Amino acid sequence: MVEKLKKLKENIENQIKDLKNKEDLEALYKETLGKKSDFNKILRSLSDLSIEEKKEIGPIANEIKNEINKIFGSKRLELENEEINIKLKKDKIDLTLDINKEEAGSLNPITKIQYELEEIFKGMGFAIYDGPELELDYYNFESLNIPKHHPARDMQDTFYINKEQVLRTQTSNLQVRAMREFGAPLKVIMPGKVYRNEDLDACHEHTFHQLEGVVIDKNINLSHLISTMNLVISKIFNREIETRVRPGYFPFVEPGIEIDIKCTICGGKGCPSCKNTGWLEILPGGLVHPNVIKAGDLDPEEYSGFAFGLGLTRLVMMRYGISDIRDFMSGDLRFIKQF
Ligand code: DAH
């Protein structure tokens, strides 16, 4: 009987060596020492022995059982230690990380071009004006000759905060504000962020940048607008760029125009960037509508003016050949570091 028990112990010792995890160890424990195990059966059969035999074999059997328990105990400890070590290795703190390495930020390319344009316009006598992005429906639409149910509202999918307030959809919201604040003569540009409820893709963002301009004085006509824009365009691109003028419709100008530039990518031959037309839309504008001048508390009989709205984001995309508008706000350093 003792021999049998010793053999079982040896067996256990052999099996336990190769175990790699706690679950297998507990399974082996159950199998070898549990109620239904051979070991237990042998122990139970002790009761059939004579008192002398019991006295002799009992203690030995007990000792073997204790030894086996010890073997399991130390294997348990060993596996637990291994587990802890694996965890420690995984969660290791990398002390070599250089936390003193400070990276300087840089300007977004939109901000850079905005600053460049501000310098160009300042050189031409324009002031720079700033205003609210959370705007009254009145300044964003109504004062610009776009009453409540005017179909032109459909062109700009708007974030309404409530019935009176919107996130401005265009920097034109500052035209009437500037007229009311400074009167005439007036020469201002208004760069800034605008918001539209767009379905996002490579060409559409909910947030983008425009640069608005307004000039109000006596006897202002279309040639003032066109010559000013031609000058600005040649300064932005650092060379003469051919432009063309088409009619365009915006309720706050009359007449309204679109100034296109000869495609800077293909030189006018036609390519995907200009949708094979050879021209790029860049600058809408026109002569300020008398109703808008009136809203600005000025007399349209005495004053006239021109306005334009440069798509700043689009201009930057054209200048640097950026094909996805979402890159600007991505916060991805790999993008921003290129400028
Ligand atoms: N605000 C217009 C837009 O976002 C652009 C625009 C057109 C501005 C004509 C102007 C203008 O000042 O005269 O589509």
Side-chain angles (χ1 to χ4, degrees):
M1 193 177 276
V2 171
E3 278 315 301
K4 266 193 193 164
L5 289 176
K6 280 191 177 160
K7 189 109 206 130
L8 280 175
K9 181 185 149 193
E10 243 173 61
N11 260 349
I12 292 170
E13 274 177 319
N14 282 338
Q15 287 185 55
I16 227 173
K17 263 192 244 147
D18 302 327
L19 292 187
K20 294 269 179 311
N21 64 57
K22 277 186 355 195
E23 288 74 37
D24 291 349
L25 182 71
E26 297 316 324
L28 183 66
Y29 185 81
K30 219 174 170 186
E31 189 188 315
T32 51
L33 289 185
K35 270 190 195 156
K36 290 181 185 161
S37 64
D38 290 349
F39 196 90
N40 215 14
K41 272 184 212 151
I42 297 173
L43 286 188
R44 263 186 279 151
S45 67
L46 278 177
S47 57
D48 301 336
L49 299 178
S50 66
I51 295 186
E52 279 74 34
E53 280 174 318
K54 273 187 201 159
K55 270 189 185 164
E56 198 199 322
I57 299 177
I60 302 176
N62 248 339
E63 199 174 311
I64 295 177
K65 190 177 176 186
N66 285 342
E67 279 168 12
I68 295 177
N69 268 328
K70 258 193 210 157
I71 296 171
F72 271 102
S74 62
K75 185 71 183 182
R76 227 172 252 132
L77 211 65
E78 183 191 316
L79 289 177
E80 272 166 15
N81 274 338
E82 254 171 40
E83 242 174 48
I84 292 174
N85 280 337
I86 289 172
K87 260 195 197 155
L88 279 178
K89 260 191 201 157
K90 257 200 214 153
D91 300 345
K92 190 168 71 171
I93 300 170
D94 183 0
L95 296 173
T96 61
L97 191 66
D98 183 1
I99 52 167
N100 289 322
K101 195 172 152 211
E102 280 178 16
E103 292 213 40
S106 66
L107 292 179
N108 191 290
I110 296 180
T111 314
K112 276 192 182 167
I113 292 212
Q114 180 185 320
Y115 288 173
E116 249 179 66
L117 282 164
E118 286 178 2
E119 286 311 308
I120 294 171
F121 279 105
K122 271 198 282 184
M124 295 163 76
F126 282 75
I128 300 163
Y129 185 56
D130 204 2
E133 289 172 14
L134 179 55
E135 182 58 291
L136 292 173
D137 180 283
Y138 175 77
Y139 286 110
N140 196 80
F141 291 123
E142 251 173 88
S143 69
L144 294 170
N145 208 25
I146 313 174
K148 279 259 164 355
H149 299 290
H150 197 286
R153 289 203 181 202
D154 291 347
M155 296 196 295
Q156 304 185 358
D157 224 336
T158 312
F159 289 115
Y160 282 87
I161 305 301
N162 51 45
K163 275 193 178 144
E164 273 91 48
Q165 285 178 303
V166 299
L167 287 182
R168 69 171 175 190
T169 57
Q170 46 185 351
T171 43
S172 314
N173 72 315
L174 297 181
Q175 288 192 16
V176 166
R177 282 183 179 275
M179 284 181 224
R180 287 188 181 178
E181 193 165 333
F182 303 112
L186 179 71
K187 244 175 132 179
V188 282
I189 55 161
M190 299 149 314
K193 262 190 238 137
V194 300
Y195 306 87
R196 288 189 201 172
N197 182 17
E198 301 279 5
D199 285 334
L200 307 190
D201 60 27
C203 306
H204 297 91
E205 249 293 14
H206 47 71
T207 305
F208 54 100
H209 289 70
Q210 293 184 332
L211 186 145
E212 188 86 6
V214 184
V215 170
I216 306 277
D217 208 335
K218 291 183 174 158
N219 302 317
I220 296 290
N221 61 48
L222 263 192
S223 63
H224 292 122
L225 169 61
I226 294 166
S227 59
T228 308
M229 292 304 105
N230 280 342
L231 188 59
V232 170
I233 288 166
S234 66
K235 288 204 179 203
I236 297 171
F237 290 96
N238 255 330
R239 61 191 156 96
E240 281 300 315
I241 296 234
E242 204 180 316
T243 57
R244 72 173 184 186
V245 175
R246 290 179 293 127
Y249 173 69
F250 304 94
F252 37 95
V253 281
E254 181 57 45
I257 61 170
E258 296 268 5
I259 300 179
D260 299 340
I261 59 172
K262 183 81 69 58
C263 180
T264 47
I265 312 278
C266 65
K269 289 197 192 81
C271 70
S273 291
C274 57
K275 293 183 196 134
N276 282 319
T277 61
W279 296 92
L280 296 167
E281 275 181 37
I282 157 162
L283 247 172
L287 292 185
V288 182
H289 196 285
N291 287 349
V292 179
I293 296 185
K294 253 190 249 163
D297 293 336
L298 296 169
D299 179 2
E301 297 294 327
E302 189 180 359
Y303 290 106
S304 54
F306 70 74
F308 56 90
L310 185 71
L312 212 51
T313 304
R314 244 176 78 80
L315 179 70
V316 178
M317 289 175 81
M318 261 186 244
R319 182 148 121 179
Y320 292 117
I322 297 166
S323 52
D324 195 327
I325 192 171
R326 292 164 294 192
D327 284 337
F328 288 111
M329 309 269 183
S330 66
D332 190 336
L333 289 178
R334 289 169 305 179
F335 171 74
I336 217 78
K337 274 183 178 163
Q338 297 174 59
F339 303 98

